Amino acid sequence: FVGNSTYLDDHGPPPQKVLPFPSQVVYNRVGKCGSRTVVLLLRILSEKHGFNLVTSDIHNKTRLTKNEQMELIKNISTAEQPYLFTRHVHFLNFSRFGGDQPVYINIIRDPVNRFLSNYFFRRFGDWRGEQNHMIRTPNMKQEERYLDINVCILENYPECSNPRLFYIIPYFCGQHPRCREPGEWALERAKLNVNENFLLVGILEELEDVLLLLERFLPHYFKDVLSIYKNPEHRKLGNLTVTVKKTVPSPEAIQILYQRMRYEYEFYYYVKEQFHLLKRKFGLKSHIGKPSPRPEFFIPSPLETEEPINDEEEDDEKWLEGIYKR
């Protein structure tokens, strides 16, 4: 008789539908790392494939109190599945608050290039409109808006020195206060989270390969993404998000930035190496130009390996099984 009981059906919550693929994906996008281009793609893909794209209008609050974390995780977790949630926010540990840990994805770029893009975007916006920057930084004084980038770096203005230059790592380290402090602790915790919680962290300099792997790993979300990205009409939209009036700092200023962003570069090259191992594993060859040399303090580096780490014979589909069981 127990088997035929309708008590739970009549009185309990309906059982959650279990989908045969990851139904909870979070893209906690890093600022000025191609995220607006990817979000444009996601808007098209969500209509094409019927997943729930959950976005946020909050762009300047990446660090949250405990209560804010709980509230956001609750809101995300109750979204209609399958969903892809995206927002500029440092890594959130869902399991800490009793939630199911989603699949995380993200993209980063060369730290100095990211910083320069942000520096000029805050001042002059992009090709979407001449007044775009005024909306984002309405209270910026004229002398600050037209501050020469070399002066900012060489004279150690707050915007061009730590802790503001310590930007990428906290997105992967998380919400702990120490994640905001430039140092080994935050760096190692960020690496650990990349290994344990992120399905893919790509690099913007190889965006087409990032999209190819996303299509391979998460086809219910990213199928046909590369053909959409290469479509001339989409390229026109993407070009509107290019920052305007960017200039290149002097070699002396760039070297100072390298030194100040030492931990950011250690993390960037770690992610880049892991990304290249993943590409080789799935048979992707790089189609980019000769890479720029590393800052002197990174030469030599033990991460520069030419061959994958003894996992060549592992079946590709088996490698993804763990993700599809979440």
Side-chain angles (χ1 to χ4, degrees), residues 73 149 297 322:
I73 287 172
I149 183 69
F297 51 80

Side-chain angles (χ1 to χ4, degrees), residues 13-150:
Q16 191 171 22
K17 183 179 178 182
V18 178
L19 298 170
F21 58 89
S23 59
Q24 303 170 79
V25 179
V26 172
Y27 170 33
N28 64 319
R29 59 188 192 268
V30 182
K32 306 310 297 175
C33 289
S35 63
R36 284 178 296 152
T37 297
V38 177
V39 170
L40 282 173
L41 289 169
L42 286 170
R43 294 190 191 283
I44 298 170
L45 291 166
S46 65
E47 293 184 9
K48 183 179 178 68
H49 301 315
F51 63 86
N52 182 18
L53 179 62
V54 184
T55 60
S56 173
D57 293 329
I58 302 173
H59 302 289
N60 57 358
K61 190 172 178 59
T62 56
R63 304 163 182 175
L64 310 178
T65 66
K66 183 178 179 181
N67 287 336
E68 288 171 337
Q69 291 178 58
M70 291 174 64
E71 186 66 23
L72 181 56
I73 287 172
K74 178 183 176 182
N75 290 339
I76 297 171
S77 299
T78 54
E80 182 184 352
Q81 298 183 21
Y83 69 73
L84 190 152
F85 174 78
T86 179
R87 172 179 162 177
H88 293 299
V89 64
H90 295 168
F91 175 78
L92 293 162
N93 189 338
F94 282 58
S95 58
R96 180 189 173 201
F97 298 100
D100 294 329
Q101 193 70 1
V103 168
Y104 269 90
I105 58 173
N106 216 322
I107 301 172
I108 65 174
R109 73 191 288 190
D110 178 277
V112 164
N113 287 337
R114 193 220 68 83
F115 163 74
L116 294 177
S117 180
N118 184 63
Y119 184 89
F120 291 104
F121 177 71
R122 290 184 68 243
R123 285 160 171 78
F124 308 115
D126 53 32
W127 290 108
R128 288 178 297 174
E130 292 183 6
Q131 300 304 314
N132 183 266
H133 61 290
M134 298 297 292
I135 297 171
R136 292 184 177 272
T137 55
N139 298 320
M140 183 179 283
K141 296 178 181 178
Q142 286 297 92
E143 58 266 29
E144 182 183 357
R145 193 176 300 281
Y146 291 96
L147 176 65
D148 183 88
I149 183 69
N150 291 298

Side-chain angles (χ1 to χ4, degrees), residues 39-279:
V39 170
L40 282 173
L41 289 169
L42 286 170
R43 294 190 191 283
I44 298 170
L45 291 166
S46 65
E47 293 184 9
K48 183 179 178 68
H49 301 315
F51 63 86
N52 182 18
L53 179 62
V54 184
T55 60
S56 173
D57 293 329
I58 302 173
H59 302 289
N60 57 358
K61 190 172 178 59
T62 56
R63 304 163 182 175
L64 310 178
T65 66
K66 183 178 179 181
N67 287 336
E68 288 171 337
Q69 291 178 58
M70 291 174 64
E71 186 66 23
L72 181 56
I73 287 172
K74 178 183 176 182
N75 290 339
I76 297 171
S77 299
T78 54
E80 182 184 352
Q81 298 183 21
Y83 69 73
L84 190 152
F85 174 78
T86 179
R87 172 179 162 177
H88 293 299
V89 64
H90 295 168
F91 175 78
L92 293 162
N93 189 338
F94 282 58
S95 58
R96 180 189 173 201
F97 298 100
D100 294 329
Q101 193 70 1
V103 168
Y104 269 90
I105 58 173
N106 216 322
I107 301 172
I108 65 174
R109 73 191 288 190
D110 178 277
V112 164
N113 287 337
R114 193 220 68 83
F115 163 74
L116 294 177
S117 180
N118 184 63
Y119 184 89
F120 291 104
F121 177 71
R122 290 184 68 243
R123 285 160 171 78
F124 308 115
D126 53 32
W127 290 108
R128 288 178 297 174
E130 292 183 6
Q131 300 304 314
N132 183 266
H133 61 290
M134 298 297 292
I135 297 171
R136 292 184 177 272
T137 55
N139 298 320
M140 183 179 283
K141 296 178 181 178
Q142 286 297 92
E143 58 266 29
E144 182 183 357
R145 193 176 300 281
Y146 291 96
L147 176 65
D148 183 88
I149 183 69
N150 291 298
V151 173
C152 184
I153 297 167
L154 297 175
E155 296 188 13
N156 204 24
Y157 278 65
E159 186 177 358
C160 298
S161 58
N162 279 316
R164 293 197 190 177
L165 293 180
F166 192 68
Y167 183 87
I168 297 174
I169 286 175
Y171 275 88
F172 300 87
C173 178
Q175 297 289 336
H176 193 286
R178 291 187 68 184
C179 289
R180 309 167 196 175
E181 302 170 6
E184 291 289 338
W185 189 92
L187 169 65
E188 293 306 317
R189 182 161 173 153
K191 288 180 182 178
L192 184 66
N193 275 334
V194 166
N195 295 334
E196 294 186 351
N197 291 295
F198 283 80
L199 173 63
L200 177 69
V201 182
I203 57 171
L204 184 62
E205 294 84 355
E206 300 173 43
L207 181 57
E208 288 194 10
D209 287 342
V210 176
L211 298 178
L212 275 171
L213 288 177
L214 284 171
E215 183 172 359
R216 176 68 184 271
F217 297 163
L218 297 169
H220 297 86
Y221 299 86
F222 288 96
K223 186 180 180 184
D224 300 324
V225 65
L226 197 57
S227 60
I228 296 171
Y229 173 69
K230 290 183 174 182
N231 184 291
E233 290 302 313
H234 182 270
R235 286 294 180 124
K236 286 181 184 177
L237 289 174
N239 288 339
L240 294 177
T241 66
V242 175
T243 303
V244 299
K245 296 188 180 181
K246 273 199 290 190
T247 59
V248 179
S250 68
E252 179 188 4
I254 288 179
Q255 187 60 33
I256 288 174
L257 283 180
Y258 280 148
Q259 295 293 339
R260 292 175 184 170
M261 303 172 87
R262 177 187 182 101
Y263 294 109
E264 293 276 276
Y265 270 99
E266 285 197 35
F267 181 72
Y268 171 74
Y269 283 115
Y270 176 81
V271 167
K272 186 175 182 179
E273 181 65 15
Q274 299 304 307
F275 180 64
H276 285 173
L277 288 173
L278 200 58
K279 281 174 57 175

Side-chain angles (χ1 to χ4, degrees), residues 2 4-15:
V2 174
N4 294 325
S5 171
T6 60
Y7 179 83
L8 285 177
D9 295 335
D10 295 339
H11 298 86

